[in-house]
């Protein structure tokens, strides 16, 4: 039985704990990402102008490999709920998975609770709009057009149906901030979003929204593991050239 997998998990866990403790003492300096700068502006503008944010967490099943992008969206949702808790129009959260909707309700409520405004929480703001790709898209379209939405944030697993929701946002002249772990959706968002999130930037949403030291530390853990992998590859190549491996 290979011990490589468990060893990597243990190393990642140790690094995450150590770096989380460190980051609680000193905040990380993150490189600027235009999409997150725009998102922070849109959150403030929505509160000031009395409009809504529409946050879509996609159709990812949390019990599959596609669940990671949905979890990244939930981390971002908590911070947005906390920051918009004083708004007259709270964010609308849509998804295509019942379990994900329940989690989004709990996440939003925890954000309101952290802001001391739990009485403002409305459970009906989190909705399942459809269980198949195109029924999900069809159920999401009215939210964009009928709910005073000023910005649409799509973070999660989506596919070709993302073209429909992107077009709806464009017709309403609403801002679009989007990311997905699915290549067809990434191509749509890259062409349509003002500031698309590319690749793994999706999983940095919690850190850039100020979700906590553990999110900052997770980015550093990724960097450390990448450098370890690079060194292993270079070392293996050198040993091969020297005839030692």
């Amino acid at each position: 039985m290979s011990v490589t997998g468990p060893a990597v998990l243990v190393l990642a866990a140790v690094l995450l704990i150590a770096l989380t403790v460190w980051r609680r003492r000193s905040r990380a300096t993150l490189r600027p990402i235009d999409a997150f700068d725009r998102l922070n502006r849109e959150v403030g503008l929505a509160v000031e102008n009395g409009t809504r944010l529409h946050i879509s967490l996609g159709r990812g099943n949390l019990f599959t490999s596609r669940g990671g992008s949905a979890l990244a969206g939930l981390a971002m949702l908590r911070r947005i709920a906390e920051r918009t808790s004083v708004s007259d129009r709270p964010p609308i959260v849509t998804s295509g998975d019942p379990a994900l909707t329940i989690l989004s309700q709990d996440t939003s409520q925890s954000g309101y609770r952290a802001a001391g405004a739990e009485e403002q929480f409305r459970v009906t703001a989190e909705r399942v709009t459809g269980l198949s790709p195109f029924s999900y898209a069809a159920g999401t379209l009215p939210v964009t057009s009928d709910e005073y939405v000023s910005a649409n944030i799509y973070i999660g697993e989506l596919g070709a149906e993302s073209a429909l929701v992107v077009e709806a946002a464009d017709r309403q002249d609403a801002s679009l901030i989007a990311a997905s772990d699915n290549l067809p959706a990434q191509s749509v968002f890259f062409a349509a979003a003002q500031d698309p999130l590319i690749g793994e930037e999706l999983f940095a949403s919690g850190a850039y929204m100020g979700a906590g030291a553990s999110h900052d530390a997770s980015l550093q853990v990724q960097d450390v593991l990448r450098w370890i992998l690079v060194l292993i590859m270079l070392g293996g190549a050198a040993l091969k050239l020297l005839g030692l491996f």
Side-chain angles (χ1 to χ4, degrees), residues 64-149:
T64 68
S65 59
R66 295 292 188 180
S69 58
L71 293 175
L74 288 171
M76 181 190 66
L77 171 61
R78 187 187 184 281
R79 282 293 295 156
I80 291 177
E82 184 177 349
R83 291 172 58 182
T84 59
S85 59
V86 296
S87 175
D88 295 332
R89 293 192 172 101
I92 298 289
V93 184
T94 59
S95 64
D97 182 75
L100 188 54
T101 298
I102 293 172
L103 278 177
S104 67
Q105 290 172 342
D106 184 70
T107 301
S108 293
Q109 187 172 17
S110 67
Y112 279 84
R113 187 183 302 117
E118 190 172 1
E119 69 281 356
Q120 300 292 333
F121 171 70
R122 297 293 181 268
V123 71
T124 54
E126 287 75 28
R127 309 167 185 176
V128 176
T129 56
L131 300 180
S132 66
F134 286 98
S135 67
Y136 158 78
T140 302
L141 297 181
V143 175
T144 301
S145 58
D146 300 337
E147 297 281 358
Y148 301 98
V149 170

Side-chain angles (χ1 to χ4, degrees), residues 183-194:
L183 284 177
Q186 284 187 33
S187 62
V188 171
F189 292 149
F190 184 79
Q194 291 93 337

Side-chain angles (χ1 to χ4, degrees), residues 4-20 214 217-226 228:
T4 303
V8 171
L9 290 176
V10 171
L11 175 62
V14 171
L15 286 172
L16 182 61
I17 293 171
L19 290 171
T20 298
S214 61
S218 69
L219 299 184
Q220 290 186 294
V221 171
Q222 293 176 40
D223 290 338
V224 170
L225 293 178
R226 283 194 199 95
I228 291 174

Side-chain angles (χ1 to χ4, degrees), residues 39-62:
L39 175 56
N40 282 304
R41 289 196 302 271
E42 293 295 343
V43 170
L45 289 172
V47 174
E48 293 176 9
N49 297 335
T51 56
R52 292 186 194 274
L53 298 177
H54 170 220
I55 305 162
S56 181
L57 301 177
R59 303 178 287 100
N61 188 322
L62 295 174

